[in-house]
Amino acid sequence: MILAIILSIALGVGGTLGAQKFIFKTSDNSSEILKNSAKKAKSSGPLLPIGEFTVNLQGGAFLKTNITVQVIDAEAEAVLQEKDAFLKDRVITVLSNKSLNDVQTQAARERLRQELLTQLNEVADDCLTDVLFISMVYQ
């Protein structure tokens, strides 16, 4: 009797999960295709370390982070190495205008990543595809 109840519950749960997978298969598949193409786009260029930065944040806290950027190709990487000082200046400018709240959560760091990408691409003539935080310490 108990075995029959357990078996029926297991079959019910398994059937429900299988049906959900079948019903939502097309949406999962299309989102997976988009994720794979985004990964390919982001993983295609060389990585260029910008450096380690320690800045005072608004409100008295400080941030120490190490940033690397991804460039579109090796030719762009060579050009950007010559603009190293300008890239570092832009990073410091952006970071020093942030508060502790602007770096504490994952969502806040993602907004910071996007802002840095936009600001750095102004200096880099849109040759950057991503900004990577290699390390981040704040207090």
Short mmCIF file of all heavy atoms in Angstrom, two decimals, residues 1-14:
data_model
loop_
_atom_site.label_atom_id
_atom_site.label_comp_id
_atom_site.label_asym_id
_atom_site.label_seq_id
_atom_site.Cartn_x
_atom_site.Cartn_y
_atom_site.Cartn_z
N MET A 1 0.83 -1.19 0.00
CA MET A 1 0.00 0.00 0.00
C MET A 1 0.88 1.26 0.00
O MET A 1 0.66 2.14 -0.82
CB MET A 1 -0.93 -0.04 1.22
CG MET A 1 -1.82 1.14 1.34
SD MET A 1 -3.12 1.02 0.14
CE MET A 1 -4.22 2.16 0.79
N ILE A 2 1.82 1.34 0.94
CA ILE A 2 2.71 2.50 1.01
C ILE A 2 3.57 2.56 -0.24
O ILE A 2 3.80 3.63 -0.80
CB ILE A 2 3.57 2.44 2.29
CG1 ILE A 2 2.67 2.60 3.51
CG2 ILE A 2 4.64 3.51 2.26
CD1 ILE A 2 3.40 2.46 4.82
N LEU A 3 4.02 1.40 -0.72
CA LEU A 3 4.82 1.33 -1.93
C LEU A 3 4.04 1.86 -3.13
O LEU A 3 4.58 2.58 -3.97
CB LEU A 3 5.29 -0.11 -2.18
CG LEU A 3 6.22 -0.31 -3.38
CD1 LEU A 3 7.48 0.51 -3.21
CD2 LEU A 3 6.56 -1.78 -3.51
N ALA A 4 2.76 1.56 -3.20
CA ALA A 4 1.92 2.03 -4.30
C ALA A 4 1.77 3.54 -4.25
O ALA A 4 1.79 4.22 -5.29
CB ALA A 4 0.55 1.34 -4.23
N ILE A 5 1.63 4.10 -3.06
CA ILE A 5 1.50 5.55 -2.91
C ILE A 5 2.79 6.24 -3.32
O ILE A 5 2.78 7.22 -4.08
CB ILE A 5 1.11 5.91 -1.45
CG1 ILE A 5 -0.30 5.41 -1.14
CG2 ILE A 5 1.21 7.42 -1.24
CD1 ILE A 5 -0.68 5.55 0.32
N ILE A 6 3.92 5.73 -2.86
CA ILE A 6 5.22 6.33 -3.21
C ILE A 6 5.46 6.24 -4.71
O ILE A 6 5.91 7.20 -5.35
CB ILE A 6 6.36 5.64 -2.41
CG1 ILE A 6 6.22 5.96 -0.93
CG2 ILE A 6 7.72 6.06 -2.94
CD1 ILE A 6 7.18 5.19 -0.04
N LEU A 7 5.12 5.09 -5.31
CA LEU A 7 5.30 4.91 -6.74
C LEU A 7 4.42 5.87 -7.53
O LEU A 7 4.87 6.48 -8.51
CB LEU A 7 5.00 3.46 -7.12
CG LEU A 7 5.28 3.06 -8.56
CD1 LEU A 7 6.74 3.31 -8.90
CD2 LEU A 7 4.94 1.60 -8.78
N SER A 8 3.20 6.06 -7.11
CA SER A 8 2.31 6.97 -7.83
C SER A 8 2.77 8.43 -7.70
O SER A 8 2.67 9.20 -8.65
CB SER A 8 0.86 6.81 -7.36
OG SER A 8 0.73 7.21 -6.01
N ILE A 9 3.29 8.79 -6.54
CA ILE A 9 3.81 10.16 -6.36
C ILE A 9 5.03 10.36 -7.26
O ILE A 9 5.16 11.37 -7.94
CB ILE A 9 4.14 10.43 -4.88
CG1 ILE A 9 2.86 10.52 -4.06
CG2 ILE A 9 4.95 11.73 -4.75
CD1 ILE A 9 3.09 10.62 -2.57
N ALA A 10 5.93 9.38 -7.29
CA ALA A 10 7.14 9.49 -8.11
C ALA A 10 6.79 9.60 -9.59
O ALA A 10 7.36 10.40 -10.32
CB ALA A 10 8.05 8.29 -7.86
N LEU A 11 5.82 8.79 -10.04
CA LEU A 11 5.40 8.86 -11.44
C LEU A 11 4.72 10.19 -11.74
O LEU A 11 4.91 10.76 -12.82
CB LEU A 11 4.46 7.69 -11.76
CG LEU A 11 5.12 6.31 -11.86
CD1 LEU A 11 4.06 5.24 -12.05
CD2 LEU A 11 6.13 6.28 -12.98
N GLY A 12 3.95 10.69 -10.82
CA GLY A 12 3.28 11.98 -11.03
C GLY A 12 4.28 13.13 -11.15
O GLY A 12 4.18 13.97 -12.03
N VAL A 13 5.26 13.15 -10.26
CA VAL A 13 6.29 14.19 -10.30
C VAL A 13 7.11 14.06 -11.57
O VAL A 13 7.38 15.03 -12.27
CB VAL A 13 7.19 14.13 -9.04
CG1 VAL A 13 8.40 15.04 -9.19
CG2 VAL A 13 6.40 14.52 -7.81
N GLY A 14 7.52 12.85 -11.89
CA GLY A 14 8.31 12.63 -13.10
C GLY A 14 7.56 13.02 -14.35
O GLY A 14 8.10 13.63 -15.27
#
